[in-house]
Amino acid sequence: MTELEFITFACTNPDRVASFWEGALDGERRSLPEPLEAEIVDRPGEGPDLLFKNQPSGPKRDLPIHLDLSTADREATVDRLRELGASVRETKTETYETHTATWTVLEDPEGTGFCVSEYRE
């Protein structure tokens, strides 16, 4: 089963943007450890949390806001999504503290970007 884990915002000041959405949604904020420079706003109730990453943003930037999907088997899910019409942009890996995360950046048939990773521990 594939789940919507995060709605990710690329922004130059994750602290400022996360503070805004924390207040707007009555959420609870937490920071991810360095080197990610990212903030998460846990929304009350059901649904995905918001992830704010220090990345260039703006209307001309690729993927300024995108969906992050999580699944038990990233590669199988990517294959299934490709069969449905998605295209793969790239696969990335980041390590922070003792955790390594790998995700695949894809586009839907209209070019909207999203990412697929495996469930977090």
Side-chain angles (χ1 to χ4, degrees), residues 9-24:
F9 292 71
C11 48
T12 56
N13 189 332
D15 180 60
R16 182 181 70 214
V17 181
S19 290
F20 170 81
W21 286 106
E22 176 185 25

Side-chain angles (χ1 to χ4, degrees), residues 51-69:
L51 174 66
F52 302 89
K53 291 183 77 173
N54 186 7
Q55 297 177 326
S57 64
K60 295 184 180 184
R61 168 76 176 129
D62 286 346
L63 307 180
I65 298 175
H66 66 275
L67 303 178
D68 284 334
L69 308 179

Side-chain angles (χ1 to χ4, degrees), residues 6 10 13 15 18 20 39 44 51 74 92 94 101 119-120:
F6 293 114
N13 189 332
D15 180 60
F20 170 81
E39 300 287 325
L51 174 66
R74 179 184 53 81
K92 298 180 177 184
E94 279 184 359
Y119 293 127
R120 293 182 292 156

